[in-house]
């Protein structure tokens, strides 16, 4: 399918690996030029070079912490008029209610709520003026079904979800579509970190911990960054103009919900 976005430009945050990289590669396959962000310059440059070689699209790299004001300013300076924004940032650490102090909550909210909101606010005027834009926020299945040991993520990402619900409907008539992608368990570094935590607490191998978690998914496996990225690319396409303010769950059927 031709997604109809060849020649457009996208900012992809935290795009050097994992789900962010999956989104960047799928957009590049559709002919979209990229402004690619990540904290670490080495992996970022390696990813950018791979994408350039595979898909022959321009890729600008911006190595910075997107969860800081300085980092956001740097990315926006490299791409003042993006057609597409993919918001993404690493999730806060797991734990229980007694582990988290005020600073932990502030850091979680800054990274997973305030950062995407500030980027949305920055790019919306230009998108609305041009009459076209796509914003996809990578959040979590936790906003549909909160996960007990991910309280920081549950709270911060739920706040972003509420913001998007209102904002998406306010700007839709200007040709801008804002939606959220909610990953379940995917084969990424984040999943590895959680599997390690489970293995340590249960006294089992990482392989056993991973097998147990995979068995909780009706699809019988972890998702891949590639299939996640293709879903993101479709939400950024010309065919997604009637998809507004939705929370699209990619969890292999793990959450049995009607809504």
């Amino acid at each position: 399918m031709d997604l109809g976005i060849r020649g457009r430009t996208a900012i992809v945050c935290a795009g050097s690996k994992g789900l962010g990289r999956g989104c960047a590669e799928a957009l590049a396959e559709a002919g979209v030029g990229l402004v690619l962000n990540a904290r670490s310059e080495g992996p970022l440059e390696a990813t950018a070079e791979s994408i350039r070689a595979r898909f022959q699209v321009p890729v600008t790299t911006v190595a910075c912490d997107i969860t800081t004001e300085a980092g956001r300013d740097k990315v926006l300076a490299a791409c003042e008029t993006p057609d597409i924004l993919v918001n993404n940032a690493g999730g806060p650490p797991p734990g229980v209610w007694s582990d988290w102090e005020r600073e932990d909550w502030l850091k979680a909210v800054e990274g997973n709520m305030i950062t995407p909101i500030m980027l949305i606010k920055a790019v919306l005027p230009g998108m609305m003026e041009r009459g076209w834009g796509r914003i996809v926020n990578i959040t979590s299945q936790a906003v549909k079904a909160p996960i007990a040991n991910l309280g920081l993520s549950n709270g911060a990402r739920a706040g972003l979800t509420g913001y998007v619900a209102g904002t998406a409907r306010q700007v839709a008539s200007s040709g801008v579509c804002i939606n959220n992608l909610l990953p379940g368990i995917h084969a990424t570094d984040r999943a590895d970190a959680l599997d390690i935590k489970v293995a340590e607490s249960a006294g089992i191998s990482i392989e056993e911990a991973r097998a147990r978690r995979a068995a909780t998914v009706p699809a019988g496996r972890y998702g891949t960054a590639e299939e996640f990225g293709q879903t993101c690319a479709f939400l950024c396409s010309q065919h997604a103009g009637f998809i507004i303010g939705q929370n699209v769950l990619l969890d292999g059927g793990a959450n049995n919900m009607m809504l």
Side-chain angles (χ1 to χ4, degrees):
M1 177 188 293
D2 180 1
L3 298 184
I5 49 177
R6 183 170 301 278
R8 294 199 181 272
T9 302
I11 294 174
V12 180
C13 302
S16 66
K17 57 186 179 180
L19 300 183
R21 178 167 182 167
C23 294
E25 290 178 341
L27 288 169
E29 184 179 12
V32 176
L34 303 174
V35 173
L36 202 60
N37 155 260
R39 297 188 188 200
S40 301
E41 187 171 1
L44 177 62
E45 291 298 337
T47 296
E49 185 55 39
S50 172
I51 291 174
R52 292 186 194 106
R54 289 176 62 194
F55 303 111
Q56 291 78 52
V57 297
V59 183
T60 299
T61 57
V62 185
C64 65
D65 183 353
I66 198 66
T67 69
T68 66
E69 184 176 1
R72 294 190 290 273
D73 288 345
K74 192 173 180 181
V75 169
L76 292 167
C79 187
E80 295 181 351
T81 57
D83 302 296
I84 295 165
L85 168 64
V86 178
N87 274 316
N88 184 32
V96 297
W97 62 270
S98 56
D99 294 333
W100 304 314
E101 304 298 337
R102 181 173 184 273
E103 289 305 313
D104 299 309
W105 279 105
L106 290 175
K107 186 175 181 181
V109 169
E110 183 68 43
N112 296 124
M113 177 180 167
I114 301 300
T115 288
I117 287 174
M118 290 297 97
L119 289 168
I120 291 169
K121 186 173 184 291
V123 304
L124 270 180
M127 290 180 175
M128 294 171 71
E129 182 179 347
R130 294 188 298 275
W132 198 95
R134 299 288 187 267
I135 299 174
V136 174
N137 305 295
I138 300 176
T139 63
S140 169
Q141 64 178 336
V143 303
K144 286 273 193 180
I147 300 169
N149 68 336
L150 296 181
L152 293 175
S153 180
N154 296 341
R157 297 188 193 278
L160 174 62
T161 303
Y163 171 83
V164 168
T167 304
R169 289 160 176 86
Q170 294 168 12
V171 303
S173 63
S174 296
V176 181
C177 304
I178 310 177
N179 293 287
N180 303 317
L181 270 181
L182 284 54
I185 305 171
H186 282 70
T188 64
D189 289 349
R190 171 75 164 170
D192 288 343
L194 293 175
D195 288 339
I196 290 170
K197 190 90 170 178
V198 169
E200 291 174 348
S201 63
I204 59 177
S205 69
I206 296 173
E207 291 74 21
E208 176 62 20
R210 191 169 293 133
R212 289 184 185 182
R213 279 222 293 166
T216 68
V217 181
R221 63 177 178 86
Y222 287 10
T224 69
E226 291 77 15
E227 61 195 345
F228 186 91
Q230 292 295 335
T231 306
C232 177
F234 178 79
L235 288 178
C236 296
S237 76
Q238 68 173 0
H239 310 296
F242 210 55
I243 304 176
I244 305 295
Q246 298 303 303
N247 295 292
V248 180
L249 189 61
L250 286 83
D251 68 344
N255 292 285
N256 189 8
M257 298 178 178
M258 293 182 66
L259 297 175

